[in-house]
Amino acid sequence: AIERTLSIIKPDAVAKNVIGQIYSRFETAGLKIIAARMTHLSRAEAEGFYAVHRERPFFKDLVEFMISGPVIIQALEGENAIAKHRDLMGATDPKKAEKGTIRADFADSIDANAVHGSDAAETAAVEIAYFFPTLNVYSR
Ligand code: CMP
């Protein structure tokens, strides 16, 4: 089915100047960018976005990292977009990510892991709505 997913190019990958290389992988895989913006997240925005992880031991470091520099946020659309995007990203921990995935190629650690992607349809809808009002999403 045609799905949408939320993708974030994190501060480490923006700093490495690989935005275009990552976008190219999305496009090659048939994922269409239907919304996009660059922003430097506030602490409140980052905490709100990762609210499900609030009780996890890594929450504070995660938020600090996500506000350490600008990010690029996009909504992607395509056949099986959520799983396809996760396949392109590779495992959360780049040491465990398969060769040729975004995290294997561009990430340094489980915190500085280059990209974020929604993990399921319900979270994708919530995450897209968190960053993009409907009028800023351009499907087809
Ligand atoms: P992301 O997909 O953005 O979702 C939550 C982030 O927390 C994850 O990528 C990692 O960058 C970070 N993180 C740090 N430690 C862990 C961990 N032990 N398990 C999962 N995520 C972690």
Side-chain angles (χ1 to χ4, degrees), residues 116-129:
H116 165 84
S118 309
D119 62 2
E122 308 76 59
T123 41
V126 171
E127 291 181 358
I128 291 169

Side-chain angles (χ1 to χ4, degrees), residues 10 50 53 56 58 62 92 103 110-113 115-117:
K10 296 187 180 186
Y50 282 120
H53 296 307
R56 307 285 288 275
F58 57 80
L62 171 61
T92 305
R103 283 166 172 157
I110 194 164
D111 293 303
N113 69 345
V115 282
H116 165 84

Side-chain angles (χ1 to χ4, degrees), residues 41-90:
L41 294 173
S42 69
R43 184 175 297 276
E45 282 178 309
E47 287 178 350
F49 180 73
Y50 282 120
V52 294
H53 296 307
R54 195 171 282 279
E55 304 305 325
R56 307 285 288 275
F58 57 80
F59 181 72
K60 194 169 179 297
D61 287 346
L62 171 61
V63 169
E64 289 298 338
F65 175 67
M66 290 302 288
I67 67 175
S68 67
V71 297
I72 304 262
I73 309 174
Q74 45 282 322
L76 307 176
E77 185 178 76
E79 188 64 34
N80 203 20
I82 296 164
K84 200 176 263 182
H85 182 224
R86 293 181 72 78
D87 287 348
L88 291 176
M89 291 192 296

